Amino acid sequence: MEHIVIIGNGISGVTLARHIRKLSDKRITIVSAETDYFFSRTALMYVYMGHMKFEHTQPYENWFWQKNRIELLRGYVHEIDTDNKVIKINERDALAYDKLVIATGSKPNKFGWPGQDLEGVQGLYSKQDLDALEKNAPNNDICKRAVIVGGGLIGIELAEMLNSRNIPVTFLVRESSFWNGVLPKGESAMINRHIENHHIDLRLSTNLKAINADENGKVKSVIIEETGEELACDLVGLTAGVTPNIDFLKSSKIETGRGVKVNRYLETNIPDVYAIGDCAEQHEAIGNRRPIEAVWYTGRMMGETLAQTLCGNRIQYKPGHWFNSAKFLDIEYQTYGWVFGERGRPDYEKHFHWKHEDDTKCITVAYHKDTNEFLGINTFGIRMRHEIFDTWLTEKRDVDYVMNHLSKANFDPEFYSHYEADILSAYNNQLQTA
């Protein structure tokens, strides 16, 4: 019986295993050093905030795996011998495979800051990180101030988590405005104000120079690069992005760049070895998509796609139109298609921006300045329907059509009706002054 070994029990690896089992009777083994069972990584923050217990983050009961004949092996893979089709686990055990899938996800970036490995310095990615946070910041008596380094989505999650326990937070963001490499100017500025309104000390255009230790080897302060200021703190959250978790592949023959290099079929340079999820790096561009996408739903899609290939129906990975969602404290964010930030925006891309007077809701619509083709939309504080925008992008609708039918895409038309007239009026005014 063909044996498929999957390294990593995140969303991509587990989706792959489930779909292989639906399609075949192949032997399946998942190897992971993080946890015994798959859990929803995006739910970790809600465990810390008290909205759920860790067991509630596990979508499947523990009996699910045995019933579906998916073997779970707890251990760390430290070597892959592709010549003999063997992986080595925990520096002693060996496991043979017929097909191998690397789905090891990401790890937090570290940039060589002095003190970055001290006790009390951590990321927010794994179950181990959640456990460390409970130890390092259980309350505002133990943790009198936290410093977060890096202004991305994980950083804003960590800020919200600490805020929920009334732990004061200083947020060091290298950019001149929050997440302005992704968000257009108006949206980024709104999020700056929203962070500050939650009593978070937001420091823009600010870099970390070093992390200082106390006499017990625990973090006691950070030094700001630009001013030399010393900030006392008990926790440093490193949230300056993630990078593929592939260090264990360095001695193998598997080709790597930033991630594991794969083609459109998610195949590596070695026969019978594949990579999916955050750790996979596309050889050739897929439209405007980045070579590495550390996004939950693309990991799931890669798992579904590769399951078909491994079960005899070899198909390309086709992720479709870009979509993502997140939360900035209590403001929900969704993006469909392409809406570029200030950096890297194509010359042809024009924006319509509307913001509600309460400063917590806005939309930005991107369209082609010559053809008026609808290119994408960002929404903040207004929930939209994925399938509607997906259809409009496929049909290449023009921006006038989208704006005049925006209520069809809204998740809650009654709620949206409060803003529809204002949005259309602002759009028509922009057309007249353009």
Side-chain angles (χ1 to χ4, degrees), residues 194-312:
H194 195 64
I195 292 169
E196 290 171 338
N197 287 341
H198 280 75
H199 310 293
I200 292 168
D201 175 25
L202 178 62
R203 308 280 189 98
L204 299 171
S205 301
T206 303
N207 286 277
L208 173 69
K209 182 178 182 181
I211 305 168
N212 295 329
D214 65 13
E215 62 276 8
N216 298 314
K218 190 176 185 308
V219 60
K220 72 167 184 177
S221 64
V222 300
I223 304 294
I224 304 298
E225 176 77 51
E226 287 74 16
T227 63
E229 177 187 1
E230 183 175 8
L231 284 175
C233 60
D234 304 293
L235 171 77
V236 176
L238 300 183
T239 63
V242 294
T243 195
N245 182 24
I246 59 168
D247 289 348
F248 69 102
L249 297 176
K250 298 302 182 191
S251 63
S252 77
K253 295 180 179 179
I254 299 166
E255 185 184 355
T256 61
R258 283 189 59 232
V260 183
K261 294 276 194 176
V262 294
N263 62 16
R264 292 289 180 86
Y265 295 92
L266 305 168
E267 299 163 330
T268 70
N269 62 309
I270 303 294
D272 297 328
V273 179
Y274 308 80
I276 56 176
D278 294 16
C279 68
E281 179 180 358
Q282 289 287 330
H283 267 307
E284 43 188 301
I286 303 177
N288 287 326
R289 286 176 173 269
R290 294 177 177 176
I292 299 171
E293 290 183 340
V295 180
W296 182 88
Y297 87 93
T298 56
R300 188 196 66 208
M301 289 174 68
M302 287 186 202
E304 292 171 354
T305 300
L306 185 56
Q308 292 287 331
T309 293
L310 294 180
C311 294

Side-chain angles (χ1 to χ4, degrees), residues 13 48 60 62-63 94 124 149 186 193 209 234 241 248 252 256 292 306-307 310 313 315 356 363 375 398 431:
Y48 181 85
Y60 309 107
N62 294 350
W63 51 257
L124 179 64
V149 182
R193 294 188 294 271
K209 182 178 182 181
D234 304 293
F248 69 102
S252 77
T256 61
I292 299 171
L306 185 56
L310 294 180
N313 179 28
I315 59 173
H356 190 261
I363 65 170
L375 302 175
D398 66 38
L431 284 182

Side-chain angles (χ1 to χ4, degrees), residues 97-123:
Y97 67 85
D98 296 301
K99 300 275 173 61
L100 178 67
V101 182
I102 301 162
T104 47
S106 301
K107 61 179 183 177
N109 285 333
K110 291 184 177 180
F111 293 105
W113 295 295
Q116 67 182 16
D117 295 317
L118 290 171
E119 183 185 347
V121 181
Q122 66 166 96

